[in-house]
Amino acid sequence: KEKGINVPSLFCVNEIPTEEKLLSLLDERKEFSVRSSAFCEDSTQLSFAGQFDSILFVKKEDVLCKIKECFASAKNESVISYCKENGINADEIKMTVIIQEMIYADFSGVIFSANPQGILNESVIVMGCKTGDNVVEEKTDVTTCYYNRTDKKYYTEKAGEASPDMTDELIERLIELCAEIEEIFGKLVDIEFAVKNNEVFILQARPITTIDDTSPLILDNSNIVESYPGISLPLTISFVREAYSGVFKGLAKRVLHDE
């Protein structure tokens, strides 16, 4: 938000606040999302995916109760079991709760700045109608966009009749925001967004921890036999090996920014 990204108004608490203090911070005309954010989530070793509570469409008078639920979710049986399986002391989990203005989205979704399957120059956008919980829980048809950041070409796939249309303008705006947020983090990122009346809101951003971009594997689909059909002698094979090795190394350096 401080970097100029359009994030809905929010504040965080590290402990359960007094009702008087909390109510002074809330606009009674709005509803809120109350979201857990534990320090141990989304690391390279542990995800804690779905382990802690987050609640949407919370009225002002119910926010305090939902904050307590989020803090209490650190002691869920599933959390304790997950900690035991991974050698963590569940009593050391530190929880922060985020109270954020609820966006009644027309569309919501996620952006991966790199394809989680390991394609580093391909960003992926997945978008469905209404709020993001419908997308995550697969309660709505989605549209997926695969965007090649090298040549800026993309295509979309729809999963069903209710899949929304992605306009060229929206795709370019989301990719632009993705690049800005990736620069802020200095890492590949996983972003949650919402769109209301053509305005894009960023709800969450975090590093992608499932991709190792330190030792990329580069695949090519060159059909060398078309250039050298028939039987090749050892001299030809050695020449081909040297020539193609040089070409592909040069291409890899350009694609990977000379790393």
Side-chain angles (χ1 to χ4, degrees):
K1 194 172 179 68
E2 291 174 351
K3 295 287 186 178
I5 303 298
N6 189 24
V7 178
S9 59
L10 63 100
F11 62 92
C12 306
V13 294
N14 295 321
E15 59 185 9
I16 298 173
T18 64
E19 185 172 15
E20 181 181 4
K21 176 64 174 177
L22 179 64
L23 293 178
S24 69
L25 297 172
L26 300 175
D27 186 335
E28 63 184 16
R29 297 168 297 178
K30 298 177 180 178
E31 290 188 330
F32 304 88
S33 63
V34 181
R35 307 182 60 161
S36 58
S37 181
F39 83 104
C40 52
E41 288 184 270
D42 304 321
S43 69
T44 53
Q45 293 80 28
L46 303 168
S47 68
F48 279 89
Q51 298 290 338
F52 304 113
D53 291 348
S54 290
I55 305 100
L56 305 183
F57 303 105
V58 181
K59 297 184 183 300
K60 178 179 180 178
E61 60 269 23
D62 297 325
V63 170
L64 181 59
C65 176
K66 300 307 179 184
I67 289 175
K68 292 177 181 178
E69 286 184 20
C70 283
F71 277 109
S73 68
K75 303 299 182 184
N76 285 346
E77 284 188 21
S78 61
V79 173
I80 294 172
S81 176
Y82 187 88
C83 288
K84 287 181 178 178
E85 290 174 4
N86 291 279
I88 304 169
N89 184 349
D91 293 331
E92 294 180 356
I93 292 178
K94 297 178 181 178
M95 180 72 76
T96 294
V97 176
I98 302 166
I99 298 89
Q100 189 170 42
E101 178 187 346
M102 189 70 211
I103 302 298
Y104 297 93
D106 300 317
F107 309 104
S108 298
V110 294
I111 314 169
F112 298 96
S113 64
N115 189 319
Q117 292 183 345
I119 307 174
L120 301 184
N121 70 333
E122 181 178 76
S123 295
V124 181
I125 306 169
V126 182
M127 187 175 82
C129 295
K130 304 302 180 182
T131 52
D133 55 325
N134 293 319
V135 176
V136 173
E137 296 173 13
E138 300 182 349
K139 293 180 178 178
T140 186
D141 292 334
V142 298
T143 299
T144 303
C145 172
Y146 299 92
Y147 189 101
N148 187 304
R149 299 205 295 183
T150 302
D151 59 20
K152 303 186 186 306
K153 294 182 179 180
Y154 53 89
Y155 67 95
T156 59
E157 292 181 345
K158 291 190 173 185
E161 294 182 0
S163 299
D165 293 325
M166 279 194 201
T167 64
D168 295 340
E169 181 181 5
L170 177 59
I171 290 171
E172 294 294 349
R173 178 58 180 147
L174 292 174
I175 292 297
E176 178 184 322
L177 283 168
C178 182
E180 291 179 23
I181 295 170
E182 188 178 66
E183 184 175 352
I184 292 170
F185 276 78
K187 298 179 179 179
L188 302 173
V189 285
D190 167 3
I191 301 165
E192 294 180 13
F193 70 91
V195 182
K196 178 67 174 179
N197 297 329
N198 294 319
E199 183 179 3
V200 178
F201 297 87
I202 300 300
L203 307 179
Q204 176 173 287
R206 59 191 177 194
I208 299 176
T209 57
T210 56
I211 297 178
D212 179 8
D213 61 349
T214 57
S215 301
L217 175 65
I218 300 174
L219 305 177
D220 77 87
N221 61 349
S222 300
N223 193 349
I224 299 175
V225 72
E226 289 185 351
S227 300
Y228 298 89
I231 298 174
S232 296
L233 297 175
L235 178 60
T236 302
I237 293 173
S238 64
F239 168 77
V240 171
R241 182 182 294 114
E242 283 296 316
Y244 277 86
S245 176
V247 169
F248 290 150
K249 283 182 179 178
L251 174 62
K253 285 184 177 180
R254 290 194 293 276
V255 171
L256 299 173
H257 310 292
D258 294 327
E259 290 183 1

